[in-house]
Amino acid sequence: MTIAVTAATGHLGRLGVEKLKGKTGGAIIALVRSPAKASGLGIAVREADYTKPATLKAALAGVYTLLL
């Protein structure tokens, strides 16, 4: 099961990522506007920008659960 976390470089998003990393056996993906800012998260990162709808289809490919 793949879980994607939106705004993963923000305060709440980072907390969500850290909690999920210790609780899930599946993959966690960080969805962010600026992938360079997410390099320290230690998980897969995909660009997802609500103002650029073309980024969303690829960012959400294979995602089972989305944490907004």
Side-chain angles (χ1 to χ4, degrees):
M1 175 172 68
T2 301
I3 301 171
V5 179
T6 61
T9 56
H11 181 70
L12 185 58
R14 280 187 188 273
L15 290 173
V17 165
E18 291 306 316
K19 291 290 184 182
L20 286 170
K21 281 169 60 174
K23 303 254 185 222
T24 181
I28 304 167
I29 300 170
L31 301 182
V32 298
R33 287 184 292 172
S34 302
K37 292 182 181 179
S39 62
L41 290 175
I43 60 172
V45 175
R46 295 182 186 173
E47 180 182 3
D49 189 335
Y50 299 130
T51 64
K52 299 176 186 172
T55 65
L56 300 178
K57 185 174 182 178
L60 296 172
V63 171
Y64 182 79
T65 302
L66 180 63
L67 177 62
L68 293 169

